[in-house]
Amino acid sequence: MINFNVPPFTGKEFEYMRQAVENEKICGDGPFTKKCSEWIEAQTGTVKCLLTTSCTHATELAALLADIKPGDEVIMPSYTFVSTANAFVLRGATPVFVDIRPDTMNMDEKLVEDAITERTRAIAPVHYAGVGCEMDTIMDIAKRHHLMVIEDAAQGIMASYKGKPLGTFGEFGCFSFHETKNFSMGEGGALLIRDEADILRAEIFREKGTDRSQYFRGQVDKYRWQDFGSSYLPSDMNAAYLYAQLELAEEITKARMDRWEEYREMLSPLAEAGRIELPYIPEECTHNAHMFYIKTKDMEERSRLIAFLKEKEILSVFHYVPLHSAPAGQKYGRFHGEDRYTTKESERILRLPMFYKLTADQVAYIADQVKAFYA
Ligand SMILES: *Cc1c(COP(=O)(O)O)cnc(C)c1O
């Protein structure tokens, strides 16, 4: 059976986790957390990276830092994971969904401005499949309307738009290191902070509302309750697992990109014959092969293809029931404008196996089976 996902593992993880245990520092913000944060800061050129327990929590932190309040509105796509919306709903805000572009499945930047009201406080673009949103346009709109930008870059590590890493455009960017992502620590994430002025508050929110981070740096002689907050810092054992992959980030990304290109090459005859559609990567974007998807004619064809592949021992999946059509989306959010593509395209998308140790032979086999289905 070819699984849809296998968590990334390089071989170095056990050694680093053993070191974390031997350091007798298995709580948060130990040596491996520091190494991971510094690696991400260097790789992205961001002022500050705080490792978190998930991308969900990084986004919640961003919503706290952005002072999102009840009645505020945040513009985002409906075609995304629930966490993009939940972070703001937890603060009493309303997610305002706009339609996606069918080519990249990203929020259609041309629809954002029309969704702005007096209550709009932020835009939350999601870089689907590690392919950047049209950030020039989005940042320009944000600037003109004095809105914050909080990027859901859960899938975006090692990817960029016009050479600038995803997650570094807005005030805050959020990465995920869930086991389904390119690099993993089981459960985990990171908050990227653009402006120096936000760092101290972020550290306090992340450390139960205390200035313990400053205390550990010797900047204050005792730590105290400074503000509201929660516990968003991961164990150093998890950071140790992640660090093994960050060290091999180029190699892992290259392996994924190679498989991605093989899929594209082998499936392009089907696309040229008009049977399926393949991912589109805008010229401005360098992606990270987070996922390889195809689009079938419709939902019915997709269901048949999933079943066909399963018989051939290949697990393929789809995802994201559009948030505006889900019970909580109806309760807490609203869709602005017409749903031309969100629902229709979400019903056609099919994700093929993609993970670090996927082999070229496996990709060839999977592509052959997809072709056999359409033959
Ligand atoms: C994976 C993912 C998340 C959630 O990440 P966690 O680390 O599991 O909280 C959020 N948004 C998007 C787009 C994702 O793909």
Side-chain angles (χ1 to χ4, degrees):
M1 185 67 83
I2 304 178
N3 273 320
F4 165 70
N5 177 61
V6 176
F9 183 77
T10 66
K12 235 4 192 349
E13 286 83 351
F14 287 143
E15 166 60 18
Y16 287 165
M17 289 173 82
R18 193 179 59 80
Q19 282 179 27
V21 173
E22 282 175 0
N23 285 339
E24 298 183 340
K25 182 84 183 130
I26 57 174
C27 67
D29 284 338
F32 283 102
T33 303
K34 193 154 179 275
K35 279 179 201 264
C36 290
S37 310
E38 285 172 358
W39 187 94
I40 295 167
E41 284 161 11
Q43 204 277 329
T44 60
T46 198
V47 170
K48 187 76 185 171
C49 163
L50 294 177
L51 226 55
T52 59
T53 29
S54 63
C55 179
T56 302
H57 277 164
T59 316
E60 286 180 28
L61 256 177
L64 285 174
L65 289 160
D67 282 320
I68 300 296
K69 296 268 184 327
D72 289 349
E73 293 181 355
V74 180
I75 298 171
M76 65 183 70
S78 169
Y79 183 71
T80 181
F81 189 59
V82 293
S83 297
T84 321
N86 265 331
F88 303 104
V89 168
L90 279 167
R91 308 254 57 80
T94 301
V96 175
F97 304 115
V98 296
D99 208 7
I100 51 168
R101 297 163 41 146
D103 57 356
T104 58
M105 303 297 279
N106 281 334
M107 180 168 75
D108 187 340
E109 68 280 356
K110 290 194 276 321
L111 303 175
V112 171
E113 198 150 20
D114 194 54
I116 295 173
T117 71
E118 272 152 40
R119 292 168 170 263
T120 307
R121 291 289 319 286
I123 307 173
V126 180
H127 306 294
Y128 185 69
V131 178
C133 295
E134 216 332 277
M135 289 315 288
D136 276 358
T137 308
I138 291 169
M139 294 310 293
D140 175 62
I141 294 169
K143 199 168 166 205
R144 283 190 285 104
H145 294 270
H146 308 289
L147 304 176
M148 301 192 95
V149 173
I150 297 166
E151 297 173 70
D152 182 336
Q155 307 174 3
I157 196 164
M158 302 293 280
S160 59
Y161 168 87
K162 294 193 176 172
K164 189 172 159 60
L166 303 185
T168 66
F169 288 83
E171 276 81 357
F172 306 107
C174 307
F175 282 164
S176 174
F177 301 119
H178 184 259
E179 73 166 26
T180 52
K181 302 303 199 282
N182 290 24
F183 313 135
S184 180
M185 52 198 282
E187 300 277 357
L191 178 71
L192 305 190
I193 299 172
R194 190 188 64 190
D195 304 322
E196 199 102 32
D198 289 317
I199 297 174
L200 199 55
R201 272 180 91 219
E203 287 180 339
I204 288 171
F205 287 155
R206 177 171 169 270
E207 261 284 18
K208 301 97 178 164
T210 74
D211 49 1
R212 188 150 73 173
S213 298
Q214 281 176 288
Y215 173 69
F216 282 140
R217 286 194 296 265
Q219 293 165 330
V220 292
D221 61 0
K222 56 181 172 293
Y223 72 87
R224 296 182 302 172
W225 187 21
Q226 297 289 353
D227 206 335
F228 53 77
S230 190
S231 184
Y232 293 121
L233 61 174
S235 160
D236 216 46
M237 288 187 290
N238 295 55
Y241 188 99
L242 176 65
Y243 190 63
Q245 292 148 57
L246 296 183
E247 276 190 327
L248 291 183
E250 299 287 345
E251 187 183 318
I252 292 171
T253 306
K254 179 168 187 314
R256 297 183 73 112
M257 290 299 283
D258 287 349
R259 300 296 86 78
W260 197 97
E261 289 297 341
E262 288 156 14
Y263 268 131
R264 185 167 69 168
E265 211 170 295
M266 289 179 217
L267 293 174
S268 64
L270 276 183
E272 278 152 27
R275 308 298 300 275
I276 61 170
E277 279 174 42
L278 297 179
Y280 164 73
I281 312 295
E283 197 145 335
E284 297 79 16
C285 297
T286 302
H287 73 111
N288 58 5
H290 173 62
M291 72 170 85
F292 191 90
Y293 65 79
I294 63 171
K295 284 188 192 167
T296 58
K297 183 159 65 66
D298 53 24
M299 195 192 252
E300 186 273 328
E301 186 179 280
R302 179 176 73 181
S303 303
R304 282 193 292 114
L305 178 53
I306 291 172
F308 180 86
L309 292 175
K310 199 165 173 206
E311 265 174 38
K312 310 292 177 194
E313 311 248 301
I314 299 162
L315 293 181
S316 59
V317 303
F318 59 85
H319 63 171
Y320 302 157
V321 172
L323 297 186
H324 74 284
S325 69
Q330 292 185 348
K331 188 166 162 194
Y332 297 118
R334 67 180 160 77
F335 198 96
H336 179 85
E338 192 194 339
D339 172 10
R340 285 179 69 196
Y341 297 112
T342 299
T343 300
K344 189 169 141 238
E345 299 300 303
S346 74
E347 291 176 347
R348 301 171 58 210
I349 209 160
L350 182 67
R351 302 173 62 186
L352 299 178
M354 175 54 84
F355 48 88
Y356 172 39
K357 292 286 171 69
L358 185 69
T359 67
D361 285 347
Q362 286 174 318
V363 170
Y365 172 73
I366 296 163
D368 277 347
Q369 296 313 316
V370 173
K371 286 180 185 165
F373 175 81
Y374 283 101

